[in-house]
Amino acid sequence: MKIKNSSFVTSAVKPDQCPEDGLPEIAFVGRSNVGKSSLINMLLNRKGLAKTSSTPGKTQLINFFDIDGLFRFVDLPGYGYAKVSKVNKATWGKMIEDYLRLRPNLVDVFLLVDLRHKPTAEDVQMYGWIKEFGFNGIVIGTKCDKLTKNQLFKNTKVIRQTLAMDADAVLVPVSSQSKDGKYDVWDVMHELLHVNGYENVNIARQSDK
Ligand SMILES: Nc1nc2c(ncn2[C@@H]2O[C@H](COP(=O)(O)OP(=O)(O)OP(=O)(O)O)[C@@H](O)[C@H]2O)c(=O)[nH]1
Ligand SMILES: [Mg+2]
């Protein structure tokens, strides 16, 4: 199946502002600037659907994107942005926690980490949260175009160790620039939707043709 239409649905800061129709959702979390919005655009072949920026903190609301009326991507605001005040940090924490904890149609959460760096304490905490709320937590290593094969191998190991990932936990390296890893991400999503009972969504080996 090829995705035909993707569109922005709405932004939310609290649960009662989220769409109510119960379509399955896949959420993207991670540090500010890690490449969440870029990944969403790359997966959907849409340049400016999710707003991206080289200035961290671009996405400050929970943004929902509809995909062919079958399921949604959810772009969560990034953490670890130094300029954000303490009050904003607390608001951010509550907003994300409420969404992860209270959203019945949330299928799974993709945690993005920059392949060039060791995960931060906040990444470790987020991975813990994701697990605690009962999700698999798929780790996506971003910006793989910036690393050599050797660096990729080494850094992947550090990321796995730092997050204390299980041996069979999935880590997918991607690049929104070169589109490396695109089909691997679609395959993982396909699998997750199917094991969660959404068999009508067929997105394996998502092809551009
Ligand atoms: N080289 C390279 N740059 C990337 C890649 N993905 C994202 N970027 C760049 O990283 C910067 C941040 O990307 P965004 O997608 O806006 O990051 P974000 O995680 O949505 O950031 P917030 O909205 O602030 O949380 C932009 O300058 C992107 O062009 C990638 O795969 N490779
Ligand atoms: Mg963003």
Side-chain angles (χ1 to χ4, degrees):
M1 189 193 89
K2 182 185 184 302
I3 304 269
K4 294 186 193 75
N5 290 302
S6 49
S7 59
F8 170 74
V9 182
T10 192
S11 297
V13 291
K14 46 185 184 180
D16 65 6
Q17 297 168 335
C18 297
E20 286 173 2
D21 55 32
L23 280 185
E25 290 174 350
I26 290 172
F28 298 86
V29 287
R31 274 176 73 80
S32 204
N33 223 38
V34 70
K36 298 175 293 298
S37 302
S38 303
L39 177 68
I40 289 175
N41 291 334
M42 186 270 269
L43 289 169
L44 298 173
N45 303 315
R46 294 283 306 271
K47 271 212 167 89
L49 183 63
K51 301 283 169 280
T52 64
S53 168
S54 52
T55 316
K58 180 74 192 170
T59 313
Q60 300 209 336
L61 305 163
I62 302 179
N63 289 318
F64 295 85
F65 299 94
D66 176 274
I67 300 156
D68 280 345
L70 292 173
F71 65 109
R72 276 189 290 266
F73 281 169
V74 182
D75 191 6
L76 294 170
Y79 49 83
Y81 175 42
K83 280 192 185 159
V84 171
S85 70
K86 269 202 178 137
V87 176
N88 275 346
K89 270 189 192 159
T91 313
W92 177 92
K94 173 107 180 70
M95 173 161 71
I96 305 289
E97 190 186 339
D98 280 354
Y99 173 77
L100 296 180
R101 198 160 48 87
L102 302 172
R103 195 73 176 150
N105 48 325
L106 177 57
V107 172
D108 223 306
V109 184
F110 283 55
L111 172 66
L112 277 67
V113 294
D114 190 322
L115 281 165
R116 296 170 298 175
H117 311 298
K118 188 176 164 176
T120 63
E122 283 172 306
D123 291 324
V124 175
Q125 193 179 39
M126 179 52 72
Y127 192 60
W129 252 3
I130 293 170
K131 295 277 188 194
E132 195 182 309
F133 295 141
F135 300 106
N136 291 297
I138 308 301
V139 180
I140 302 279
T142 63
K143 313 194 185 184
C144 75
D145 55 282
K146 299 212 179 207
L147 287 88
T148 63
K149 278 245 160 71
N150 193 28
Q151 286 170 326
L152 179 64
F153 180 77
K154 276 194 200 152
N155 293 11
T156 302
K157 223 168 144 182
V158 173
I159 291 168
R160 282 191 163 277
Q161 276 167 357
T162 312
L163 294 177
M165 292 173 68
D166 290 340
D168 60 352
V170 180
L171 190 161
V172 188
V174 303
S175 165
S176 297
Q177 211 166 68
S178 69
K179 301 188 191 275
D180 272 347
K182 183 177 179 181
Y183 302 122
D184 300 318
V185 176
W186 278 121
D187 282 353
V188 173
M189 286 183 182
H190 179 88
E191 177 80 23
L192 286 169
L193 285 160
H194 277 233
V195 298
N196 282 281
Y198 300 102
E199 273 124 17
N200 60 323
V201 188
N202 180 12
I203 48 173
R205 287 285 115 183
Q206 176 63 223
S207 131
D208 293 335
K209 288 169 205 107

